[in-house]
Amino acid sequence: MSFLLFLIASCNTEVEEPELLIFEVDFMFFDKVYVEDEIMMCISELSIMPTIIMIDAIRCNNGSQPKREGIDYAWKSDSPEVAEVDSYGKITAKSVGQATIEFTVTVTQEDGEPVSKTASRKITVVEKPVPVTAVTLAGCIDELFVGEYFTLTAFVEPDNATNKELEWRSDKPEIADVVDNSGNVIAKAPGRAVIFVTSMDGGKIAICIVTVMERP
């Protein structure tokens, strides 16, 4: 979001024609952050012409804040309990919710009058995702006859993992195949097959080795 403010001083035939001042303020930010994240916004200024000032804030890794005479910066959060921001632009995500961060720049004109402009961004704070650390299998039957079936049960660790989605597959589905996402396995032909279950988060794998035999 950018704002443009055109400031034209009043004039008459006894004074020189004033210059046109274009005053632009903006800052870039992520729409979503995680609880306990800390993000430092640094101010960068780019003067394109003597009469044009562009003031931006960007994410950076240090707290350097360049100062320029006649230009002041201010940061504000409408919900500091969700995301607070200090006077240097350091944003700290505190709790789940939404907050609007405002970046205000005040420029003092040659006549001494201050003019302010504000840019704002709404951010959403969410809980940090809990990654999957391991996948285990229960119910593995290592030998069975053609036509038999059994059910594998997969356990995702930790219990509070954010994404518990799993993918099932067999390396030889013509011998033993997983028929659904519930871990049901059917024996089709004599041979040996490996049943894999893989977590979508982190790619953690567990296996069950199956030997299929003809019925006597």
Side-chain angles (χ1 to χ4, degrees), residues 15 29 36 49 63 67 86 108 124 145 157 160 175 197 210:
V15 297
F29 193 63
E36 298 182 354
M49 292 170 49
K67 294 296 183 180
D86 65 14
T108 302
T124 300
F145 295 113
E157 299 177 10
N160 63 337
I175 294 174
V197 60
V210 179

Side-chain angles (χ1 to χ4, degrees), residues 62-185:
N62 57 64
S64 61
Q65 300 288 354
K67 294 296 183 180
R68 178 174 170 180
E69 185 177 354
I71 300 179
D72 295 311
Y73 314 113
W75 293 90
K76 179 183 176 183
S77 170
D78 71 339
S79 300
E81 71 280 3
V82 174
E84 66 179 11
V85 59
D86 65 14
S87 59
Y88 294 98
K90 180 182 177 181
I91 300 169
T92 303
K94 307 286 286 186
S95 62
V96 174
Q98 288 189 324
T100 298
I101 305 297
E102 294 183 351
F103 172 44
T104 299
V105 178
T106 301
V107 176
T108 302
Q109 303 176 92
E110 291 184 0
D111 61 4
E113 287 296 319
V115 178
S116 298
K117 206 62 183 172
T118 299
S120 64
R121 300 279 186 183
K122 179 175 287 187
I123 63 171
T124 300
V125 181
V126 299
E127 290 286 359
K128 281 189 176 181
V130 178
V132 174
T133 58
V135 176
T136 57
L137 280 175
C140 182
I141 298 177
D142 52 2
E143 290 185 352
L144 67 164
F145 295 113
V146 174
E148 291 184 330
Y149 68 90
F150 65 96
T151 301
L152 289 168
T153 302
F155 297 92
V156 176
E157 299 177 10
D159 288 340
N160 63 337
T162 302
N163 182 2
K164 293 186 175 183
E165 188 176 355
L166 300 170
E167 180 183 60
W168 296 86
R169 70 179 182 87
S170 170
D171 70 334
K172 294 179 180 177
E174 70 279 7
I175 294 174
D177 197 14
V178 186
V179 298
D180 55 28
N181 290 327
S182 297
N184 291 308
V185 179

Side-chain angles (χ1 to χ4, degrees), residues 3 8 18 30 33 49 69 87 95 111 129 149 176 200 211 214:
F3 300 86
I8 306 179
F30 296 101
V33 297
M49 292 170 49
E69 185 177 354
S87 59
S95 62
D111 61 4
Y149 68 90
M200 300 302 289
T211 299
E214 288 282 9

